[in-house]
Amino acid sequence: MEQVKCLIIGSGPAGYTAAIYASRAGLKPVLYSGLQPGGQLTTTTEVENFPGYPQGVDGNQMMMDLREQALRFGSDIRDGSISRFSLTQNNPELSGNFILTAENGTEIEAQTVIIATGASAKYLGLADEEKYRGMGVCACATCDGFFYRKRTVAVVGGGDTACEDALYLSHLAKKVYLIVRKPYLRASKVMQQRVFEAENIEILFEHNTIGLFGEDGVEGAHLVKRKDEADEQMVDIAIDGFFLAIGHHPNSELFKDVVATDDNGFIKTLADRPCVLDKEGNVIPGLYAAGDVTDPVYRQAIVAAASGCKAAIEAERHLAGTM
Ligand code: NDP
């Protein structure tokens, strides 16, 4: 079995930052990139709020730069996911704390593990989303927007992601509907302003999607306009693409038997440190969580990067026996 001092799962800002710090600390970290190498920022366009980039930076580019930086200090970055995770505290023959299996079958014994698995896009849960997946239904505007040039699309959601996606699509598509369930947007003021100013974005406030229709792909959506129980109105819109931007759920499934999570699946850590708690509320020595998998509040790249840094420092101190 392969033995590593520090295993990092995930390759978003948290995972790569942890890898940079852990490799500079001489921990020779092994990082598994996961299903979406580079994480959520690879599905965005410009990142305008990461300090140090006055003109903004392309999300993909930023993640490639972080990867490059981690490689420069000797991180062992591998493709693929970890498919099994367990504690070894009941097996005295093993010296590491954790046993992990990669999807290619590689078995690893790790003394410390940093969980940086991020979060994945949510869907509404409609049967039609499954039916038309890849045929007009998508949760990544920057991945698939290109296919909707001069067409009509809808984006669901009222947060920053929805506004960003609507704006991105407005430069490609003929028309963009923004379907918002509340009578207002939740997005930051600057994003709201840009959406309000875009001539080809029509905001449908207080609308919910109840189904999609079309022969060989999405041709339209059935919506309900609802102010209250007494005031409901069915509306159909003709669209070629249906984009979800209603938030994300944490990728914590692999760890759920071992670690404590909140009601939404976010991994629980100490309030001021990234040390993961077990179901009784005790710290699991050597196990850390960083980034969106543990952050239901801020969900920002800069916050994820900072928590990846903290996790690597904790791992280093744990291995040095100082904590
Ligand atoms: P948010 O949780 O902020 O917003 C989700 C949106 O989807 C809300 O408008 C919510 O409605 C709506 N929604 C949720 N579930 C449903 C549903 N079942 N049906 C219809 N609508 C639904 O997620 P985001 O992904 O937009 O943003 C996450 C974080 O990332 C935020 O902190 C945001 O600021 C940040 N971000 C920053 C960016 C930037 O600065 N460039 C870009 C993108 C994200 P409701 O309001 O009614 O709950």
Side-chain angles (χ1 to χ4, degrees):
M1 188 180 308
E2 183 179 3
Q3 308 223 334
V4 303
K5 284 185 185 165
C6 178
L7 188 97
I8 300 166
I9 314 173
S11 57
Y16 281 145
T17 304
I20 292 166
Y21 275 77
S23 48
R24 282 175 55 81
L27 306 188
K28 296 190 170 55
V30 171
L31 180 150
Y32 274 83
S33 301
L35 289 176
Q36 189 178 35
Q40 290 174 61
L41 280 189
T42 59
T43 67
T44 189
T45 44
E46 284 285 291
V47 179
E48 294 182 332
N49 51 11
F50 201 93
Y53 297 97
Q55 304 307 322
V57 57
D58 176 81
N60 263 297
Q61 186 59 50
M62 188 166 113
M63 298 320 295
M64 283 193 287
D65 290 345
L66 285 176
R67 184 175 195 277
E68 206 52 45
Q69 200 172 348
L71 286 170
R72 182 180 151 214
F73 296 112
S75 296
D76 178 351
I77 298 179
R78 302 178 185 178
D79 292 336
S81 302
I82 294 293
S83 53
R84 261 193 246 149
F85 166 87
S86 61
L87 295 180
T88 60
Q89 57 200 16
N90 296 328
N91 187 345
E93 285 178 18
L94 294 168
S95 57
N97 293 328
F98 310 98
I99 297 289
L100 303 105
T101 311
E103 63 184 352
N104 65 1
T106 303
E107 289 222 308
I108 300 169
E109 188 194 334
Q111 287 176 270
T112 62
V113 170
I114 297 174
I115 303 169
T117 43
S120 299
K122 280 187 194 166
Y123 286 79
L124 294 170
L126 302 172
D128 286 340
E129 287 172 317
E130 279 303 316
K131 182 175 168 190
Y132 294 105
R133 187 82 61 100
M135 297 164 65
V137 172
C138 180
C140 175
T142 48
C143 309
D144 286 7
F146 181 76
F147 302 115
Y148 297 91
R149 276 175 302 167
K150 299 192 171 51
R151 317 279 288 275
T152 299
V153 298
V155 176
V156 186
D160 278 319
T161 304
C163 289
E164 193 176 79
D165 287 0
L167 284 163
Y168 176 76
L169 291 165
S170 73
H171 300 303
L172 298 165
K174 186 172 64 186
K175 169 157 189 157
V176 180
Y177 290 104
L178 185 59
I179 304 170
V180 184
R181 66 180 175 181
K182 294 227 172 94
Y184 55 84
L185 295 172
R186 183 202 284 219
S188 53
K189 288 281 174 268
V190 59
M191 293 301 273
Q192 291 193 26
Q193 196 55 39
R194 287 181 198 166
V195 165
F196 291 142
E197 283 168 7
E199 283 177 4
N200 60 343
I201 299 179
E202 180 179 342
I203 308 179
L204 302 174
F205 285 115
E206 296 177 301
H207 281 71
N208 277 293
T209 311
I210 52 168
L212 301 167
F213 58 88
E215 285 287 316
D216 297 319
V218 171
E219 291 173 14
H222 302 298
L223 311 180
V224 183
K225 179 168 189 198
R226 187 172 199 269
K227 279 196 166 28
D228 52 55
E229 270 174 35
D231 187 355
E232 269 192 5
Q233 210 181 314
M234 308 295 281
V235 187
D236 280 358
I237 54 170
I239 51 170
D240 306 294
F242 183 75
F243 289 84
L244 283 307
I246 59 168
H248 292 79
H249 62 80
N251 297 321
S252 58
E253 195 66 11
L254 185 63
F255 316 97
K256 72 175 192 320
D257 293 339
V258 175
V259 311
T261 57
D262 72 7
D263 292 345
N264 295 315
F266 289 93
I267 292 178
K268 286 191 182 174
T269 63
L270 289 175
D272 53 349
R273 288 164 59 194
C275 308
V276 173
L277 304 176
D278 66 15
K279 293 187 187 296
E280 278 74 49
N282 302 310
V283 165
I284 303 174
L287 187 61
Y288 310 98
D292 285 10
V293 72
T294 183
D295 178 6
V297 180
Y298 300 107
R299 294 174 289 178
Q300 301 296 303
I302 186 75
V303 178
S307 66
C309 157
K310 288 189 199 176
I313 291 174
E314 292 282 349
E316 181 193 357
R317 291 182 181 169
H318 173 76
L319 289 167
T322 58
M323 283 200 131

